[in-house]
Amino acid sequence: MAHSPNLPASAAGTAAGTSVSHDVHATGHGVDQHGNPTFHPEHPTAGTYVKVGVILTLITVIEVWVYYIPGFTKTKLFVPLLLALSALKFAIVVMFYMHLKYDHKLFRSLFVGPLLIAAGTLMGLLFLFGKLAVRLGLLT
Amino acid sequence: MEVATPMTSASESHGTTGHYTTTGLDNRKVAIWALIGSECMLFASLISTYLIYKGRSLVGPYPHEFWCRATNVTSDGPIAGCAPAELFRPILNIPVTSASTFCLLMSSLFMVLAHNAVVNRDEYRARGGGGIIGSSKLWLFMTALFGTTFLLFQAYEFTSFVHEGLTIRSNLFGSSFFTLTGFHGAHVTAGVIWLCTLLAIDMKRGLRPRDALNVDLAALYWHFVDVVWIAIFTLVYLIQ
């Protein structure tokens, strides 16, 4: 079978593993030579990934350290602090490791949309079954 | 009618495609994000169930309290007068779970380094290999190894819980806890299998920049498993 120049390189069996170094760090929207839309997000460097890993580890250490402070676990700050630290870790992984900070906004919508629905469902269920309502003083 | 254009390694590595799509994005990457979105809702329902049932168990063992089976009394500290055979400690083992959390976090770091090595392979080769940072085999192996270590920690935890009297049928805490963490463990297992297939391909023929999207899809799934655990670790283990 003759390879068509219009087929993708991989499908046509041609060597597509050419150097991409000039494209890897390019960013933004554009069009290819055929006028089709393309998107080339920027990626962080390996050094940035390692720094993010160190920050995530430090946040985890703080979480566990706070857990072992007997006086602090009884205060009203304990739960909000843990939730904030957890949310921070969540956001860092999603933004840097999952590249959502750099990637196309459609991917962001596909993740944030269901995440908001999930969070709303969780809050709604907790209200329905009384946990949050009791904690906020709406029910006795 | 779809218009096909030559697929370049650069476009593949960024989730764009040589095939015409209205967004200019590869359908596989859109699909994995849609899957991750749906998985968010699955885990939200499991976490909701756990939180709703939290503190509603009629009998122990309990996650954060001591429990005397003979009298069904719970306390923040050891219960005086309870026979040792009837006294159950708080069941959650925070040091062990902290170690397993660290393993999963590090595996996420190794996964992005593996992806980085594949995307920049040609650049690293031009500079003489890139050393450790340029070795996708090493990072994929480390990711799978740390993922497996997490699973071993979970197996140890489940086994010790059963020995201490907590099973999926013991009480509401046991049912919701084993369901939630078991589902997560199943996702980690699927991720480890996926990583092993990538590692096998890398050992056989080497992953090239044009394979970067395949690595990216596995990486996105793996990081999602990690962020779910970030939520579980706080909500289930740390908040009393």
Side-chain angles (χ1 to χ4, degrees), chain A residues 88-124:
Chain A
L88 182 63
K89 270 165 70 180
F90 189 100
I92 289 173
V93 172
V94 169
M95 283 196 302
F96 289 94
Y97 285 178
M98 295 172 89
H99 302 136
L100 220 51
K101 186 181 177 192
Y102 310 94
D103 232 329
H104 196 277
K105 60 184 176 185
L106 177 67
F107 299 141
R108 212 173 301 162
S109 310
L110 280 171
F111 181 68
V112 175
L115 188 66
L116 290 176
I117 294 172
T121 307
L122 198 151
M123 299 291 279

Side-chain angles (χ1 to χ4, degrees), chain B residues 80-102:
Chain B
C82 186
E86 299 294 321
L87 184 64
F88 288 79
R89 293 182 297 106
I91 205 98
L92 296 179
N93 189 338
I94 300 301
V96 167
T97 316
S98 301
S100 70
T101 303
F102 177 74

Side-chain angles (χ1 to χ4, degrees), chain A residues 31-85:
Chain A
V31 291
D32 62 15
Q33 66 269 38
H34 298 273
N36 296 320
T38 59
F39 179 72
H40 300 291
E42 179 186 6
H43 282 180
T45 60
T48 308
Y49 290 139
V50 174
K51 282 178 197 161
V52 169
V54 171
I55 291 169
L56 290 171
T57 306
L58 286 176
I59 296 173
T60 307
V61 168
I62 292 170
E63 282 181 328
V64 177
W65 177 60
V66 161
Y67 177 86
Y68 281 106
I69 304 174
F72 191 69
T73 55
K74 304 275 188 257
T75 66
K76 285 184 176 177
L77 269 179
F78 178 64
V79 173
L81 179 68
L82 280 183
L83 289 177
L85 289 173

Side-chain angles (χ1 to χ4, degrees), chain B residues 54-111:
Chain B
K54 191 175 182 180
R56 297 193 180 192
S57 296
L58 298 177
V59 294
Y62 295 99
H64 302 286
E65 298 98 14
F66 286 83
W67 174 56
C68 182
R69 185 164 56 185
T71 56
N72 202 20
V73 168
T74 59
S75 169
D76 284 344
I79 300 166
C82 186
E86 299 294 321
L87 184 64
F88 288 79
R89 293 182 297 106
I91 205 98
L92 296 179
N93 189 338
I94 300 301
V96 167
T97 316
S98 301
S100 70
T101 303
F102 177 74
C103 284
L104 207 55
L105 274 180
M106 286 303 101
S107 75
S108 256
L109 170 62
F110 298 148
M111 189 71 238

Side-chain angles (χ1 to χ4, degrees), chain B residues 20 62 145 156 166 175 181 216 221:
Chain B
Y20 173 74
Y62 295 99
L145 179 69
Y156 166 77
L166 184 75
S175 302
T181 55
D216 195 17
Y221 177 83

